[in-house]
Amino acid sequence: MTTLKKLLQDIEASPDGPQIAAIFDFDGTIIAGYSATSFIREQVRRGDLSPRQLAEIVAAMTSFGLGNLGFSGMMAVNAQFMRGIEEDTYRDVGEKLYTKQIARLIYPESRALVEAHKAKGHTVAIISSATPYQEEPASADLGIEHVLCSHLEVSKGKFTGKAVTPLCFGQGKVDAAEKLAKATSADLDRSFFYSDSTDDLLLLERVGQPRALNPNSKLEKIAKQRDWPVVRFGSRGRPRVSQYVRSVAATSSLVASFVAGLPILALTGSRRESQNFSFSLFADTASALIGMDLKVSGEKHLWSHRPAVFVFNHQSKADVIII
């Protein structure tokens, strides 16, 4: 199993310049899980999908996962229920969903890989079977210029209920990469492609530097047979048992920290002194338990203007420790 550090070293050792492409799959590679799930939930919430239509979509996705339905068939089922919806409305939905739900799913490790490639001046791109409404908000956030993906047919500003063919899947991803290479003069034989699935095997075989990120069992087996780097990220998605135990221990340390502050209250009579001690002890203990190494930029501004109000968007339990 390769490490993130080794992947970053490989990037650093590669030539500078746009002739090297760094291509990323999206679902499962840049983010944990599938962005389509968030969109389907939103369609249900908005009333764009009836229970019967939702059942058809779930059945199609299940059939695709089992190998009984091709990707084009699954997209055809999904696209038909978009008929009549204004594209601008859906684009706006995509922006809001990214901000509220999908952004927190981005692997920090994948973001680090993107930044490393950008620092080398490489041609960075997302090539994904998903739609622009899922990809473009993420690419804007990550500073990725090139996005090649599947598209839904639009007429007079509204979805027609059809998908544009060919779709960006399988050989379609290879074609998209060739198109990118032609437009940017990138050399795919020297370029990187990061993916989590055997659905992308053709493009993994096409590039010179294939990388298996968070791979499914089939891709992991193939990658090991072919000596491709394999890396798993634990910062997002379902936690391992050890991570769960450490998280529970960190949360439980809050009680012990406040108990430890009681002697301070008894000696000084100051509830504030006692609370300050307990909060600081909790932060140090919990950080050690979960392995969080906090680096603060501009720390002087924390103290330059007081009193002050600190506002956190509470994306995770880590915010509690930082506060």
Side-chain angles (χ1 to χ4, degrees):
M1 188 76 70
T2 309
T3 63
L4 174 63
K5 182 179 180 180
K6 178 61 170 63
L7 293 187
L8 293 172
Q9 289 173 342
D10 290 344
I11 296 170
E12 182 60 32
S14 66
D16 293 356
Q19 76 278 6
I20 305 297
I23 303 169
F24 290 81
D25 175 45
F26 187 63
D27 293 313
T29 302
I30 288 180
I31 69 169
Y34 296 92
S35 54
T37 305
S38 297
F39 277 78
I40 292 172
R41 283 199 301 261
E42 181 64 14
Q43 285 179 274
V44 173
R45 190 192 69 80
R46 288 164 50 87
D48 294 335
L49 286 177
S50 68
R52 179 187 62 80
Q53 291 170 333
L54 175 61
E56 288 188 40
I57 289 177
V58 171
M61 294 175 70
T62 302
S63 294
F64 170 71
L66 294 173
N68 299 324
L69 181 69
F71 182 75
S72 59
M74 184 184 69
M75 281 293 290
V77 172
N78 291 346
Q80 66 177 319
F81 300 126
M82 300 290 291
R83 185 185 296 112
I85 297 176
E86 292 186 358
E87 183 188 23
D88 286 344
T89 298
Y90 206 64
R91 195 177 297 277
D92 184 56
V93 168
E95 293 282 353
K96 291 178 179 177
L97 280 179
Y98 180 76
T99 301
K100 293 181 179 180
Q101 298 181 31
I102 299 174
R104 72 183 67 178
L105 300 178
I106 289 182
Y107 287 108
E109 298 92 339
S110 293
R111 191 183 288 272
L113 292 172
V114 169
E115 291 301 320
H117 281 293
K118 288 165 60 180
K120 294 288 286 185
H122 294 167
T123 297
V124 184
I126 295 175
I127 296 184
S128 169
S129 57
T131 65
Y133 321 105
Q134 297 157 259
E135 308 296 325
E136 290 177 354
S139 66
D141 180 20
L142 293 166
I144 296 177
E145 179 182 357
H146 305 280
V147 179
L148 297 94
C149 55
S150 298
H151 290 267
L152 302 177
E153 187 179 81
V154 177
S155 177
K156 297 180 180 179
K158 295 183 178 181
F159 294 115
T160 66
K162 299 179 181 179
V164 177
T165 55
L167 295 166
C168 194
F169 184 82
Q171 180 60 41
K173 282 197 174 184
V174 179
D175 296 340
E178 297 285 1
K179 180 180 178 181
L180 173 73
K182 184 176 181 180
T184 61
S185 299
D187 182 359
L188 293 182
D189 292 331
R190 304 167 66 196
S191 296
F192 297 76
F193 177 47
Y194 300 87
S195 177
D196 70 308
S197 173
T198 48
D199 291 339
D200 295 333
L201 190 57
L202 291 176
L203 184 51
L204 285 165
E205 292 173 334
R206 174 64 185 85
V207 300
Q209 302 288 343
R211 299 288 186 265
L213 294 193
N214 314 302
N216 59 26
S217 57
K218 290 182 179 179
L219 180 57
E220 182 172 12
K221 182 178 180 180
I222 293 173
K224 289 180 177 179
Q225 289 174 344
R226 303 187 184 186
D227 201 26
W228 295 346
V230 176
V231 181
R232 290 194 178 278
F233 301 150
S235 59
R236 296 291 184 269
R238 184 174 297 178
R240 297 189 298 272
V241 173
S242 60
Q243 292 174 318
Y244 180 78
V245 171
R246 292 169 67 178
S247 179
V248 170
T251 302
S252 301
S253 70
L254 180 62
V255 176
S257 297
F258 272 92
V259 171
L262 293 178
I264 304 296
L265 176 62
L267 290 171
T268 66
S270 171
R271 180 175 296 179
R272 174 53 57 194
E273 290 291 337
S274 175
Q275 289 177 341
N276 285 345
F277 174 83
S278 294
F279 278 126
S280 295
L281 179 61
F282 164 68
D284 291 340
T285 304
S287 295
L289 286 169
I290 67 173
M292 182 171 72
D293 182 16
L294 186 64
K295 294 180 174 62
V296 181
S297 299
E299 186 174 359
K300 62 181 180 295
H301 299 301
L302 291 172
W303 306 100
S304 60
H305 295 80
R306 293 292 183 108
V309 176
F310 296 90
V311 180
F312 284 70
N313 60 3
H314 197 31
Q315 293 289 302
S316 75
K317 287 184 178 180
D319 287 358
V320 178
I321 299 172
I322 296 170
I323 290 172

